[in-house]
Amino acid sequence: MKPASFAYARPASLDQALRLLADNGGRGRLLAGGQSLGPMLNLRLATPELVIDIGRLRELQRFETTDGALAIGAGVCHADIEDGRVPDLAAGLLRRVAAGIAYRAVRNRGTIGGSLAHADPAADWPPVMIALGAELKIASARGRRRVPAAEFATGVLATVLEPDEMIETIRIPRAASELRWGHYKIAAKPGDFAESLAVVVIHKNGTGARAVLAGRSQTPLLLTETARAIAGVRAWSSEQQAIIATALDSDLAREGVGPGLSPEERAIHLASVSRAAREAIAS
Amino acid sequence: MKVTLTLNGAEASGDIEPRTSLGDFIREHQRLTGTRLGCEHGVCGACTVLIDGRPMRSCLMLAVSADGRDVRTVEGYEGDAVMAAIRRSFKECHALQCGFCTPGMLATAYDIVTRLPHADRKRIRTELSGNLCRCTGYLGIIDAIEKALDHVHGAERRTQVETA
């Protein structure tokens, strides 16, 4: 339960950190808040040669609103979002999500960029950023590129990041301020990883909706038919539940997820999606 | 690798391997054994200490990452009126038995009492979800934190909690 030996570097700037990453060609591992990498080091699931500590880089801890869009530095911790120090462009959704991540002692260290880069299928931020249409600015010594949140994770703990890259900022578009939203997380206890996590957003002008589902055994999934079913609803009634169930089954079947689910798993996903939809419709 | 930090108000330094956790540095190098290491992967909460005034897991933080920071462990609350009230209510409400989880519980309780003056029992339970106790069944701990909140924040808190 102690990490294997590694070398340690704490670069003083983002440029230095990117240079270290590039020079070590995949042997370096970034450490920000350490709330995912820390357990992996202790359990020796991760045995990097070099740990590059970016936990104090002020360049990654900034946030700003420009032209109505919100850019959050990858190094901003969950507690800063929970407490409202970061402006909540999405009318309370960011605060809600942050407050539900693990425990306060973890939220005081864990970062939004770290959560996205780790790409745990049950993590809280990835489905939210997909629902909000966020874009990730990715940095390397070679330059910068932008990737939509929906295209960032490629599988369980796998992303489009190259070995010399890191997330620099998360940009949430101005359109996020014109959304009604619902969010529901089903977990064994407060702060645990989600069995099922659903985020539903509906445009205030009624032009459309987006629904994303994630969970312990489910990488974030865009539910297009479910979103269409939700978009037309003005008020929740008992019929909506059945309509959403049909649409969700269709989405899960299309994505090849349906057959692998036990009846319990399907019921849990249906419950979280329905509750998120209901909250979004009522908001 | 050299590390120097403030531990309970005094400078503490050591020459350690980078892989040393802050928890191990506190226990093995500084010989302050009040901080407990339980699961060592962030779940049980026993190792929770205050860093720059905020509760954090000392098992998940490298000691070298804590260089220059202000660390407060269970040994570091002498003369602190809030912690004195929490300790008194822990005793009165039977909020501990074996004591292994208690240093982490006290750090979390300190955070609840100072950050959430209007927390009700439900909120206290939620905030405690990151600290495991295998002896008490938690009720005594919840009672103790509620009592400490009432004591520290007084009549103003009671009206606000009732109307919340």
Side-chain angles (χ1 to χ4, degrees):
Chain A
M1 297 297 287
K2 308 290 179 192
S5 287
F6 51 76
Y8 173 86
R10 195 167 63 231
S13 71
L14 181 59
D15 281 347
Q16 273 186 31
L18 293 172
R19 177 50 54 200
L20 270 169
L21 258 187
D23 289 349
N24 286 280
R27 291 185 301 273
R29 193 81 194 246
L30 293 173
L31 171 72
Q35 303 303 290
S36 297
L37 183 58
M40 290 173 72
L41 289 171
N42 286 357
L43 295 165
R44 300 201 180 191
L45 294 171
T47 53
E49 287 176 34
L50 170 68
V51 168
I52 303 169
D53 188 345
I54 54 170
R56 294 197 198 185
L57 292 182
R58 295 219 176 269
E59 295 149 284
L60 296 178
Q61 290 164 7
R62 297 189 195 126
F63 47 85
E64 59 175 357
T65 314
T66 343
D67 298 332
L70 172 65
I72 306 177
V76 168
C77 71
H78 311 307
D80 280 341
I81 299 171
E82 176 186 14
D83 294 350
R85 282 186 283 278
V86 178
D88 193 339
L89 191 61
L93 175 59
L94 299 183
R95 287 186 75 169
R96 160 87 72 85
V97 172
I101 297 173
Y103 321 111
R104 182 74 181 179
V106 170
R107 298 195 291 274
N108 278 330
R109 288 286 292 159
T111 66
I112 185 168
S115 165
L116 290 164
H118 186 54
D120 190 307
D124 295 73
W125 287 121
V128 176
M129 291 306 154
I130 293 170
L132 293 177
E135 188 181 69
L136 311 183
K137 184 171 153 194
I138 292 171
S140 73
R142 294 174 284 127
R144 300 291 186 272
R145 64 178 176 129
R146 293 171 191 280
V147 176
E151 293 166 23
F152 179 72
T154 54
V156 176
L157 306 186
T159 71
V160 300
L161 285 178
E162 298 292 334
D164 64 341
E165 289 182 319
M166 72 167 88
I167 302 174
E168 184 177 357
T169 50
I170 297 99
R171 187 175 174 280
I172 300 171
R174 181 169 61 179
S177 60
E178 292 147 18
L179 297 171
R180 294 183 284 142
W181 58 266
H183 166 267
Y184 204 88
K185 177 178 177 178
I186 296 175
K189 66 165 193 153
D192 209 342
F193 278 111
E195 298 293 337
S196 181
L197 198 167
V199 187
V200 171
V201 296
I202 308 175
H203 265 281
K204 280 179 183 163
N205 61 13
T207 52
R210 201 178 288 154
V212 187
L213 175 69
R216 200 183 277 277
S217 56
Q218 182 56 63
T219 49
L221 201 64
L222 259 175
L223 306 172
T224 48
E225 291 202 30
T226 308
R228 254 196 302 281
I230 293 166
V233 178
R234 290 287 165 272
W236 187 265
S237 70
S238 55
E239 292 134 56
Q240 306 306 335
Q241 178 84 20
I243 294 168
I244 286 174
T246 308
L248 178 63
D249 284 338
S250 167
D251 278 324
L252 293 175
R254 190 192 60 248
E255 298 288 343
V257 177
L261 291 181
S262 67
E264 293 77 17
E265 286 169 325
R266 178 191 170 271
I268 287 171
H269 285 321
L270 177 59
S272 68
V273 170
S274 303
R275 289 170 194 181
R278 196 169 178 173
E279 183 183 20
I281 290 163
S283 68
Chain B
M1 196 167 178
K2 188 97 193 302
V3 60
T4 305
L5 46 80
T6 305
L7 186 57
N8 299 329
E11 187 182 288
S13 61
D15 196 7
I16 55 169
E17 283 190 76
R19 62 172 166 165
T20 312
S21 73
L22 176 62
D24 279 334
F25 177 73
I26 291 167
R27 287 179 56 86
E28 308 292 333
H29 297 261
Q30 300 300 317
R31 311 305 290 174
L32 291 182
T33 52
T35 300
R36 310 284 202 264
L37 292 175
C39 73
E40 288 185 280
H41 59 276
V43 174
C44 80
C47 70
T48 306
V49 299
L50 296 190
I51 299 171
D52 296 333
R54 294 169 136 201
M56 297 181 190
R57 303 287 202 234
S58 67
C59 75
L60 295 187
M61 191 166 189
L62 299 175
V64 287
S65 293
D67 189 59
R69 303 186 72 165
D70 184 66
V71 180
R72 203 174 189 192
T73 70
V74 69
E75 291 94 343
Y77 290 93
E78 203 158 325
D80 187 304
V82 171
M83 187 54 94
I86 295 171
R87 283 176 168 159
R88 196 163 53 244
S89 61
F90 262 61
K91 182 182 165 207
E92 289 165 0
C93 300
H94 309 290
L96 67 150
Q97 186 178 316
C98 85
F100 191 90
C101 74
T102 310
M105 285 288 177
L106 291 173
T108 298
Y110 192 84
D111 178 55
I112 296 171
V113 172
T114 51
R115 182 170 57 89
L116 304 167
H118 305 302
D120 58 11
R121 288 180 72 83
K122 186 166 180 248
R123 183 68 192 266
I124 295 169
R125 278 177 177 272
T126 307
E127 293 293 325
L128 278 178
S129 61
N131 289 74
L132 300 184
C133 171
R134 301 289 78 174
C135 302
T136 64
Y138 300 100
L139 288 178
I141 299 169
I142 296 162
D143 289 345
I145 294 174
E146 192 178 33
K147 195 169 182 177
L149 276 162
D150 285 343
H151 179 83
V152 171
H153 300 290
E156 184 209 354
R157 164 184 151 78
R158 279 188 287 276
T159 30
Q160 293 238 11
V161 170
E162 277 158 21
T163 54

